[in-house]
Amino acid sequence: MENQPKIIVIGGSAAGPKAAARARRMNEFAEITMFQKGPDLSMASCGFPYFVGGFFDDRNKLLCTPTGVVRDPKFYWNAKGIVARTNTEVTKIDRKNKRVEFTNLVSGETGSQPYDKLIIATGATANKPPIPGIELQGISTLQSMQDADYLRKIRDDGQIKKAVVIGGGLIGIETIEALNLAGIELTLIELLPQLLTFLDWKLAKILENYLRTKAEVITQNGVAEFIGEKGKLEAVRLQDGSEIPCQLAVVAIGVRPNIGLAQAAELEIGELGGITVNQYMQTSDPDIYAAGDCCEITNLISGKKVLAPYGDLANLEGRVAGENCIKGNVASFPGTIQTGICKFFDWGVGITGLSEEKAEEAGLEYVKIVNASPDKPGFMDGKLLITKLLADKNSRRILGAQCLGPGDVAKQLAIWATAIKGNLTVDDMVNADLPYAPPFSLAIDHSIASAHIMQNKMNGVFEGISALEVKEKVDRGEDLFLLDTRGADEFSETRLGIGETLIPIGWLRSRMDELPKDKNKEIITFCKISLRGYEAAVLIKAHGYTNVKVMEGGIAGWPFEKEK
């Protein structure tokens, strides 16, 4: 065993192939076998919606190396010296005798094989609710290569005209775009009050408003029954009794870890239903490792265990497991800050670190701001970004960032993810040395501007107020002075219509007599993105007004209906 350890990997999607490849690079002479239940290996499953949507047409691109070679068993043997057995299900882990039993699902052949170290990378399965009619033809998930093939065929055939997508998470949002590009009339159904529940309500509502320009959206309602004729889906009945005609339903209500083998082998399972692993990706059996969507891992900010079924994390975890099963526990995967992003038509949307809800669950005192501003100068066709930033009230450490809009969301999330992982504070970020040229960013990058707003707020330079709080105050009929500081042309083009007074920032010093005589009256300032609103608030406070707030995010961040 010293030079030729026997390594078995169960699972051939993301974590498994990465673990096998890393183990090979650590030891040229190890005997490495990878078992894959399905027919395909190393599928780029995060690319499934884009194959379905027609961003590319060759399904092999989901299975290829960067040089265009399909990762099939022949490739794994020739390029990596790894035996890859497809269509072969491992049916039992015999820990006592250190063997696995398997069945070839095509030939029916059974067998067993010994291991010195075992890596479980069995992934996750799409949740399918026990709803009447769930077995009708026309109901699918988007979890497997076969699902992607099925939905791509529907796109190419062009016969289906109406579809519903059940679930407003990442997969549901990506599926909506894919099917919309196929020319299908769509309805999104979400049981909870908001889409993308990892976002805080306001940002989720802004995304929902954008989604409504592409599809029908129903929230706070679930599917009660799938209705069919002759075994084929014809409609869905919702919990409120309404019916939506459709020939296709894609169920995207999350995934659950595949832990059957691990459970049967009496490995420790965590409270969330994933395999328990330590930082070395080692299970409760020291000779068995696990990686990917089947595991529970640690949230680095809250310290709590989480399920984080993301393809990038699966690869990182697989790399650690593969190295450690050869070298001993020398590599570690400490955990996640749960960074996630998705493309949605012309927008990006994502989060890194904690949302408000998760920060409250973790018992953290935090300060929040919203920044709505472009990613590049206007003369370089800059696009809007809306960022919500959370920082710890006491340590000033960055806790989380949420970002959406047509601008470069991925860049913002990458900056904040690195800041969070490095335990950087707001004060570290206000002078961040980022690359600048007009084709790429503003002179003060959107992320640095967000840090400036946060620092100003934490230092008491201004007091912020959220759009939600403003709406609640207006609805309660509170005595407010709402000051819109934009230009008259902007006001005539779009306005909130909540009783605001227009005084453009350039006129404010000469029109101070139009402000309330009572200097203790609550004044709320805003503009398109609230930069001019902030400047107005500083000016008004200098003239003795004591209760001045800036509506963060401005009109761009207003999630409710506008008058115009």
Side-chain angles (χ1 to χ4, degrees):
M1 178 193 165
E2 188 74 4
N3 295 315
Q4 294 181 302
K6 295 179 175 66
I7 309 297
I8 288 180
V9 178
I10 307 172
S13 178
K18 188 67 176 181
R22 183 65 173 172
R24 169 57 71 226
R25 287 193 278 272
M26 296 295 102
N27 185 333
E28 173 58 25
F29 304 105
E31 294 179 23
I32 303 172
T33 304
M34 180 165 61
F35 289 92
Q36 168 70 328
K37 186 176 177 181
D40 299 299
L41 289 163
S42 201
M43 309 84 70
S45 55
C46 295
F48 290 167
Y50 307 103
F51 173 55
V52 172
F55 286 86
F56 59 94
D57 298 321
D58 181 359
R59 84 188 287 275
N60 277 344
K61 288 187 176 179
L62 292 164
L63 308 167
C64 280
T65 68
T67 54
V69 179
V70 174
R71 296 186 185 98
D72 57 13
K74 185 179 177 183
F75 162 81
Y76 271 99
W77 180 248
N78 289 341
K80 299 181 184 294
I82 293 167
V83 175
R85 303 186 64 145
T86 55
N87 294 307
T88 305
E89 180 179 8
V90 173
T91 55
K92 182 181 179 182
I93 300 169
D94 179 353
R95 288 170 53 196
K96 183 180 177 184
N97 297 305
K98 298 185 73 170
R99 301 181 73 83
V100 300
E101 296 176 9
F102 59 85
T103 301
N104 185 299
L105 300 176
V106 176
S107 68
E109 172 206 353
T110 62
S112 69
Q113 188 168 319
Y115 66 83
D116 294 310
K117 300 289 182 183
L118 176 68
I119 300 171
I120 301 173
T122 45
T125 302
N127 290 323
K128 289 187 83 171
I131 293 171
I134 190 74
E135 301 306 323
L136 287 169
Q137 185 183 337
I139 300 171
S140 178
T141 58
L142 187 47
Q143 174 73 3
S144 68
M145 195 77 182
Q146 289 68 43
D147 291 339
D149 288 335
Y150 173 73
L151 293 175
R152 176 60 195 238
K153 186 175 187 305
I154 283 173
R155 177 192 189 278
D156 292 344
D157 290 348
Q159 299 298 309
I160 285 179
K161 301 303 178 191
K162 291 188 175 183
V164 298
V165 174
I166 302 157
L170 285 171
I171 300 296
I173 293 292
E174 291 174 343
T175 303
I176 282 278
E177 178 176 13
L179 296 178
N180 176 279
L181 293 171
I184 296 173
E185 187 182 323
L186 292 158
T187 302
L188 179 67
I189 301 163
E190 171 55 59
L191 184 62
L192 296 172
Q194 72 171 66
L195 309 181
L196 295 181
T197 53
F198 57 78
L199 294 177
D200 288 320
W201 181 87
K202 175 183 171 178
L203 271 74
K205 187 65 178 173
I206 292 170
L207 178 84
E208 182 185 322
N209 293 342
Y210 176 60
L211 173 56
R212 288 182 186 278
T213 67
K214 311 290 184 181
E216 188 77 23
V217 180
I218 297 170
T219 57
Q220 291 183 281
N221 207 344
V223 176
E225 184 183 359
F226 294 103
I227 301 166
E229 185 74 34
K230 296 179 181 174
K232 288 188 176 181
L233 179 70
E234 291 199 336
V236 297
R237 180 177 292 125
L238 301 185
Q239 290 173 354
D240 65 0
S242 59
E243 289 187 12
I244 302 170
C246 59
Q247 301 91 47
L248 172 67
V250 181
V251 180
I253 56 171
V255 296
R256 64 183 184 279
N258 288 328
I259 58 170
L261 275 175
Q263 268 184 319
E266 297 183 345
L267 295 174
E268 187 179 321
I269 305 298
E271 288 183 13
L272 301 176
I275 300 170
T276 299
V277 292
N278 60 19
Q279 71 192 78
Y280 307 113
M281 306 312 295
Q282 193 173 37
T283 70
S284 53
D285 183 324
D287 292 321
I288 301 179
Y289 293 77
D293 297 358
C294 58
C295 299
E296 290 183 14
I297 54 178
T298 303
N299 182 291
L300 291 172
I301 309 171
S302 69
K304 294 180 178 179
K305 291 294 180 183
V306 293
L307 296 172
Y310 296 118
D312 57 333
L313 297 182
N315 275 277
L316 296 176
E317 294 163 30
R319 183 176 187 269
V320 168
E323 181 165 349
N324 289 341
C325 73
I326 296 290
K327 296 281 191 181
N329 290 342
V330 294
S332 64
F333 178 82
T336 179
I337 55 173
Q338 292 184 275
T339 305
I341 188 171
C342 70
K343 175 187 177 297
F344 186 62
F345 295 94
D346 297 327
W347 282 29
V349 55
I351 185 171
T352 183
L354 301 181
S355 63
E356 273 198 77
E357 182 184 351
K358 294 299 181 187
E360 284 166 10
E361 280 179 19
L364 296 169
E365 272 195 289
Y366 61 87
V367 178
K368 61 183 179 180
I369 63 98
V370 174
N371 175 22
S373 62
D375 59 351
K376 290 180 289 197
F379 58 80
M380 295 303 295
D381 194 28
K383 302 281 198 308
L384 179 69
L385 290 167
I386 301 173
T387 292
K388 180 172 184 176
L389 192 63
L390 265 64
D392 186 274
K393 188 175 183 179
N394 302 309
S395 69
R396 298 168 78 100
R397 187 167 57 100
I398 306 297
L399 294 175
Q402 300 163 58
C403 187
L404 57 76
D408 191 348
V409 168
K411 173 186 170 183
Q412 295 303 310
L413 290 176
I415 290 168
W416 291 118
T418 303
I420 293 168
K421 197 81 193 287
N423 287 317
L424 299 186
T425 66
V426 173
D427 306 294
D428 291 324
M429 290 301 295
V430 295
N431 293 312
D433 194 350
L434 302 178
Y436 161 63
F440 304 107
S441 75
L442 298 166
I444 295 180
D445 186 77
H446 178 88
S447 61
I448 299 175
S450 300
H452 287 175
I453 295 168
M454 179 65 84
Q455 188 186 56
N456 284 338
K457 187 172 185 178
M458 294 182 103
N459 291 352
V461 175
F462 80 92
E463 186 177 350
I465 186 169
S466 72
L468 178 60
E469 291 171 289
V470 172
K471 178 76 161 53
E472 288 172 345
K473 284 175 176 287
V474 170
D475 290 346
R476 285 195 298 264
E478 290 188 21
D479 186 19
L480 308 170
F481 188 83
L482 298 159
L483 178 60
D484 186 339
T485 62
R486 296 174 301 148
D489 55 337
E490 294 173 275
F491 188 78
S492 63
E493 198 174 285
T494 183
R495 58 180 171 268
L496 299 184
I498 54 174
E500 65 269 40
T501 298
L502 176 71
I503 306 179
I505 186 68
W507 292 92
L508 186 55
R509 284 181 175 84
S510 61
R511 292 172 60 179
M512 294 293 290
D513 58 336
E514 295 178 35
L515 296 180
K517 299 294 179 261
D518 178 4
K519 295 207 170 180
N520 296 317
K521 182 169 179 173
E522 186 171 9
I523 299 175
I524 296 173
T525 66
F526 62 91
C527 61
K528 180 180 179 181
I529 61 175
S530 282
L531 175 58
R532 288 168 288 179
Y534 162 60
E535 291 172 341
V538 172
L539 169 60
I540 292 167
K541 282 177 71 177
H543 284 265
Y545 287 88
T546 61
N547 191 7
V548 185
K549 299 182 178 75
V550 180
M551 187 173 80
E552 294 174 23
I555 288 175
W558 181 259
F560 309 101
E561 284 189 25
K562 305 181 185 76
E563 180 185 280
K564 190 174 181 183

